[in-house]
Amino acid sequence: MTEPRPAPLSALPIDDALPELLARLSKSPSVVLQAPPGAGKTTRVPLALLSEPWARSATILMLEPRRVAARAAAARMAQTLGEPVGETVGYRIRDEARIGPRTRIEVVTEGILTRRLQGDPELSGVACVIFDEFHERSIHADLGLALCLEIQTLREDLRLLVMSATLDGQAVAALMGADRPAPIVTSEGRSHPVETRWLDAPIKLAGGGGRGRGPRGRATGPRLEHAAADLTRRALAEAPGDALLFLPGAREIRGAVDALSCDAPPDLDLLPLYGELPFAEQQRALAPARPGRRKVVVASAIAETSLTIDGVRIVIDAGRARRARFDPSAGMGRLVTERVSRAAAEQRKGRAGRTAPGVCYRLWTRAEEGALAPYDPPEILEADLAGLALDLAAWGARPEELAFLDPPPAAGYAKAVDLLQALGALDAAGRITEHGRLLARAPLHPRLAHMVVEAGGSPAARRLAALLEERDPLRGAGSVDVSKRLAALNAPGEHPAARPALARIAAAADRLSKRLPKPGPLTALRRNGLEQDPGALLALAFPDRIGARRKGEAPRYLLSGGKGAALPDGDALSGATFLVAADLDGDQREATIRLAAPVAASALEAVFADRLVWRESVDWSKRDRAVSARRRRMLGAAPLQEERWADAPPDLVAAAMTDGVRQLSLAALPWTPPAERFRARVAAARSADPTLPDLSDAALLDGLDDWLAPHLWGLKTQGDLAALDLLEILKARLDHAQAQAVDRLVPSHFTAPTGTRAPIDYAGSQPRVAIRLQELFGLTEHPRVAGRPLLLDLLSPAQRPLQTTADLPGFWTGSYADVRKDMRARYPKHPWPEDPTAAEPTRRAKPRS
């Protein structure tokens, strides 16, 4: 077969590097090509490889990170050959392919390569895989390279070429080389000087784009697209040539085009450029401006690399980009708007210097530039890893078995595996199941693929999947009910502002019907006629987000994954007993639900019959101050049914009572004076004998399970604690020898001369006893206990305190006379001798005369 030959073209910088590149690829299976933007690598290199001996009669695959770039690259190469797309050069992207029987160069988006590898692990008939713009480090490019490197161990004839503008080539070369780094070929490129112009002062943007806030917490400045339109007007007035305005996504692009259209001069063409645009409109944006006219291409990040837009000498950079990040609030990957990195800003700036000197206007100040991140992080480090984990399981490999430039984070990967196991895509050992293989073939996140496959591809499931992949078209519409969004898809005219988004969602749902695997065996969902039920469908996609309403007036829910969530005040779903939260605001304590659907308990019973388990619990209820014994039918952490557990085991009840005492503190126990005195005696005796048990508050609380729990059998409430005899319980802590030691070291009572046994209190710094003064008559020495003076609280005949003394002889000779004088008048029937040391002790009054 005669190889097509490129027509004569103007020289490009990459041309000088092609001979070395071809020589390297003829001898080495892997090569790294470093070439700056505009060098021509995307459209010249694949054509140059066609006639190489190792590539004849085989296919060259070239990966592009975006659909627009894939189409444009294929079109440019086909034009070079003088052929239509689909002959020698074709492309294959999501939902579209232009490939023919003679196609030798296939330009594909990165996800297409992953699916091709899964279907044909040897890449039969493929001579070379080119990874273009690898510096963007998408998760699919990283995975594709890792899988291709493994294929190379079996297919030594397979060439791999990594092409990049800004990547550290040494690291990639080391990854690709088996025994030594792969060779690096460098193209110097060619560019013209580009002047940078910054804002004079920071701008406050609405919608979270700036620092200015209004009285209700909203940013007070213009929206991003309006500020960018203003800067574009300035740029067009100050600089010559066509302009390229960078904005993060389609919504902002449409807003800027509308804003610029209001006062655009008649010779100005405003051309949007983003991935969802029809191909013809994309081509208009890439084509040169018509004679006598200027154009402004308003583009997303797809215009940073790969694409050549003729005539651009002005770049206006709004400083934002949309990147794939794992969004915990949604439970899967999502595009988020972030500030650009300095590397991306420089890449954008370079677009103004492709053909002539240019100027770059930045929607930030020079001082703000220092706060930008140096580089965009690799997607694999921040993206949702569920799709990657499913692809690796389908391949039959673990991450550590493949060559990744940056291995996926272990914690994020483990969470992804847990999710896939919950969806039934992986078994307990992490191996892919037949159901998992079905999910891997569906063009959806595994959560949504599981939902749609289980529903047999029902219209409701497809629409729900398409809805959840987009930003909520009715956010702020007054209710989080997903059913309102599904209804809006059937009546988009009732929501004028959301009509474009609703149209995109409906179109995506229609495309899904052609790309889903055939329905498998009848599932529980379909057997029970629930394939159109939004709540049941969402429960399949989010088994960790099924919420059971908590007790109380507020619409608060406990989710099956263990977290708490609440509906906004007054939401129409507030009365739902069970719901599924498809989107949360990410609050770690209690998230606010942003999108949900109610679900019937019967639907959960039908769909999750094999996961529902009865769990018994015996706990202490702080609210009721009693043991709560319940049986619950659980789906994860969410209870679907609850009842009293009447025959709970006594040991569990006693353990819960022990926890109750621990929570209430020791003060909840029925402490009597004898029990308190016993604790004090043991504490006093421990100073002489440390082997005695510690009965302090801290020690008793720490040892509740040992000393108290055995006595709590049969008790269930705080009131039941009154039945405890704490003195006997504490005495049981001492064995016979220890009890004798305590009695010897710290006697429990003081025996007065009258024979009265008065209890001694050891709680203070000195042992103390209270006794009537007359019972001590005749004592000439102060009584002592355990070698220490006994503090005497002297009482009147009516048991009222008279005086406290630690020196009884001194009291007799001192203040007793004043006490006697006062007491004789109050208690004339009781003896009050002048010399108490010579009187007989007594407990009685004087005998009657």
Side-chain angles (χ1 to χ4, degrees):
M1 183 173 64
T2 302
E3 302 296 342
R5 298 290 179 182
L9 294 172
S10 58
L12 288 174
I14 194 64
D15 295 339
D16 294 336
L18 287 178
E20 182 186 358
L21 176 64
L22 297 178
R24 292 289 192 182
L25 278 171
S26 68
K27 298 177 181 179
S28 175
S30 300
V31 175
V32 176
L33 173 61
Q34 290 183 314
K41 59 185 181 298
T42 299
T43 55
R44 290 286 174 92
V45 169
L47 293 176
L49 300 182
L50 276 177
S51 57
E52 289 297 286
W54 51 264
R56 286 187 180 140
S57 302
T59 301
I60 296 169
L61 293 181
M62 182 167 73
L63 273 71
E64 289 295 333
R66 297 178 179 88
R67 287 175 286 178
V68 175
R71 285 196 192 105
R76 182 66 62 94
M77 286 188 283
Q79 183 184 27
T80 299
L81 297 175
E83 299 176 350
V85 175
E87 290 293 319
T88 302
V89 182
Y91 66 83
R92 196 187 302 271
I93 61 177
R94 182 173 175 176
D95 299 321
E96 186 180 348
R98 296 280 296 277
I99 301 290
R102 296 178 58 247
T103 300
R104 295 277 315 287
I105 297 174
E106 291 187 27
V107 187
V108 301
T109 45
E110 294 161 339
I112 299 294
L113 174 66
T114 304
R115 283 178 171 74
R116 182 162 180 167
L117 286 165
Q118 298 286 16
D120 179 12
E122 294 184 3
L123 282 182
S124 306
V126 175
C128 181
V129 181
I130 303 172
F131 295 83
D132 194 20
E133 309 296 353
F134 190 73
H135 60 272
E136 296 198 13
R137 297 296 310 282
S138 76
I139 197 168
H140 277 298
D142 278 6
L143 174 60
L145 180 58
L147 297 181
C148 285
L149 287 171
E150 184 167 81
I151 291 173
Q152 255 188 346
T153 62
L154 301 175
R155 277 197 55 195
E156 296 181 357
D157 62 319
L158 179 65
R159 262 70 172 179
L160 301 179
L161 173 60
V162 170
M163 303 197 303
S164 174
T166 59
L167 188 69
D168 177 8
Q170 298 292 339
V172 183
L175 180 77
M176 297 176 70
D179 302 321
R180 56 185 176 179
I184 300 175
V185 178
T186 302
S187 171
E188 296 302 327
R190 180 183 66 215
S191 62
H192 297 273
V194 179
E195 177 191 354
T196 304
R197 297 178 185 176
W198 292 272
L199 296 181
D200 295 329
I203 191 167
K204 299 174 181 179
L205 297 173
R211 294 181 297 236
R213 296 283 164 183
R216 295 187 179 181
R218 297 175 180 172
T220 56
R223 295 188 64 84
L224 176 68
E225 54 267 33
H226 296 153
D230 290 340
L231 187 58
T232 301
R233 294 186 186 97
R234 172 189 159 191
L236 292 172
E238 295 178 353
D242 296 333
L244 174 59
L245 166 58
F246 281 103
L247 283 163
R251 179 179 60 81
E252 294 85 355
I253 289 171
R254 288 190 294 268
V257 169
D258 290 343
L260 288 168
S261 298
C262 296
D263 54 4
D267 64 342
L268 183 68
D269 294 325
L270 299 171
L271 303 169
L273 180 60
Y274 53 90
E276 292 79 16
L277 272 180
F279 181 59
E281 293 186 43
Q282 294 175 359
Q283 290 299 98
R284 282 186 59 211
L286 298 176
R290 291 174 289 170
R293 301 185 66 81
R294 296 178 82 181
K295 72 174 181 179
V296 176
V297 177
V298 189
S300 64
I302 63 174
E304 285 181 13
T305 56
S306 300
L307 300 176
T308 297
I309 305 176
D310 293 326
V312 170
R313 295 181 60 187
I314 305 169
V315 164
I316 305 100
D317 189 354
R320 301 293 190 278
R322 290 228 167 92
R323 302 188 181 102
R325 297 287 183 264
F326 178 66
D327 183 357
S329 65
M332 53 188 190
R334 178 170 283 177
L335 291 176
V336 297
T337 303
E338 299 177 340
R339 285 187 175 274
V340 295
S341 65
R342 289 199 294 274
E346 286 302 300
Q347 188 94 345
R348 293 178 175 188
K349 172 184 171 180
R351 306 298 289 184
R354 291 288 182 91
T355 58
V359 60
C360 174
Y361 291 80
R362 288 177 171 169
L363 195 64
W364 63 89
T365 65
R366 192 167 194 165
E368 288 177 300
E369 193 152 303
L372 299 180
Y375 298 97
D376 295 335
E379 188 182 359
I380 200 169
L381 299 183
E382 297 193 352
D384 177 14
L385 299 179
L388 174 69
L390 186 58
D391 283 332
L392 288 182
W395 188 260
R398 296 187 299 272
E400 61 272 18
E401 296 171 341
L402 297 176
F404 283 101
L405 196 57
D406 289 283
Y413 192 82
K415 286 184 179 179
V417 169
D418 288 344
L419 171 64
L420 294 174
Q421 289 173 331
L423 299 177
L426 303 182
D427 63 18
R431 294 182 297 263
I432 194 165
T433 62
E434 285 304 313
H435 180 63
R437 294 192 185 280
L438 283 177
L439 303 194
R441 293 200 294 271
L444 292 166
H445 185 280
R447 285 184 184 272
L448 305 181
H450 173 64
M451 173 185 75
V452 176
V453 168
E454 288 284 291
S458 72
R462 286 188 281 108
R463 291 199 156 200
L464 196 51
L467 174 68
L468 294 175
E469 286 202 317
E470 281 272 349
R471 179 184 172 89
D472 180 7
L474 299 184
R475 177 162 289 184
S479 175
V480 303
D481 192 349
V482 75
S483 298
K484 294 185 178 297
R485 280 77 178 162
L486 294 174
L489 289 172
N490 295 321
E494 298 178 9
H495 306 274
R499 187 180 297 174
L502 292 170
R504 287 195 306 275
I505 292 168
D510 289 341
R511 287 194 300 270
L512 269 179
S513 63
K514 305 171 185 175
R515 305 184 62 218
L516 291 171
K518 293 181 179 179
L522 203 61
T523 62
L525 185 83
R526 290 152 60 201
R527 276 198 306 272
N528 289 275
L530 297 169
E531 62 268 31
Q532 306 292 342
D533 184 322
L537 291 169
L538 275 188
L540 284 167
F542 298 92
D544 50 338
R545 301 278 188 83
I546 298 166
R549 202 177 195 278
R550 298 181 190 266
K551 294 178 181 178
E553 302 249 343
R556 301 171 61 239
Y557 291 81
L558 176 62
L559 304 183
S560 50
K563 294 185 177 181
L567 286 167
D569 291 340
D571 193 272
L573 292 184
S574 294
T577 304
F578 302 103
L579 55 70
V580 187
D583 193 12
L584 304 164
D585 71 353
D587 189 286
Q588 293 301 309
R589 291 194 304 171
E590 184 173 71
T592 297
I593 299 170
R594 297 193 296 210
L595 200 61
V599 60
S602 58
L604 296 175
E605 292 268 359
V607 174
F608 296 105
D610 58 335
R611 299 192 199 181
L612 295 176
V613 294
W614 280 101
R615 290 183 190 159
E616 293 82 17
S617 65
V618 183
D619 304 296
W620 177 259
S621 170
K622 288 183 180 180
R623 184 185 64 183
D624 300 330
R625 298 199 171 202
V627 173
S628 173
R630 313 294 295 174
R631 295 181 75 242
R632 298 177 179 89
R633 199 165 192 216
M634 306 293 292
L635 178 57
L640 303 189
Q641 182 181 345
E642 184 173 345
E643 61 187 34
R644 181 171 168 268
W645 190 13
D647 54 348
D651 59 328
L652 296 183
V653 176
M657 278 296 296
T658 306
D659 285 339
V661 173
R662 190 173 286 111
Q663 295 176 37
L664 294 168
S665 83
L666 293 179
L669 297 176
W671 291 102
T672 60
E676 292 279 19
R677 287 195 295 268
F678 181 76
R679 286 181 70 197
R681 286 179 63 212
V682 175
R686 272 175 56 82
S687 60
D689 184 356
T691 64
L692 292 171
D694 184 357
L695 300 186
S696 65
D697 283 356
L700 289 178
L701 273 174
D702 189 54
L704 280 176
D705 294 327
D706 296 326
W707 71 272
L708 184 62
H711 302 277
L712 297 179
W713 283 55
L715 308 186
K716 294 184 178 180
T717 70
Q718 182 179 358
D720 293 342
L721 295 173
L724 295 174
D725 186 343
L726 279 185
L727 177 60
E728 292 304 315
I729 293 173
L730 292 176
K731 283 183 175 181
R733 299 278 287 155
L734 282 68
D735 59 27
H736 180 69
Q738 289 174 326
Q740 286 186 321
V742 170
D743 288 340
R744 183 180 69 254
L745 295 170
V746 283
S748 60
H749 290 76
F750 165 70
T751 303
T754 58
T756 296
R757 297 181 75 248
I760 302 173
D761 184 1
Y762 291 89
S765 59
Q766 190 172 352
R768 187 173 197 145
V769 70
I771 192 163
R772 284 176 293 188
L773 183 150
Q774 282 95 347
E775 296 197 54
L776 301 179
F777 288 165
L779 281 181
T780 57
E781 292 185 5
H782 191 88
R784 301 174 68 84
V785 171
R788 292 185 292 169
L790 187 60
L791 194 61
L792 299 173
D793 290 323
L794 302 176
L795 307 178
S796 72
Q799 303 283 340
R800 291 175 182 157
L802 293 175
Q803 193 162 332
T804 300
T805 182
D807 179 11
L808 186 61
F811 170 72
W812 292 143
T813 59
S815 56
Y816 170 71
D818 294 329
V819 171
R820 175 176 178 269
K821 180 178 179 182
D822 183 41
M823 291 297 101
R824 286 179 69 190
R826 291 191 185 186
Y827 301 100
K829 296 181 179 181
H830 290 261
W832 302 101
E834 289 188 16
D835 182 6
T837 61
E840 288 289 329
T842 181
R843 290 181 291 201
R844 302 178 181 278
K846 296 183 208 176
R848 294 183 181 181
S849 54

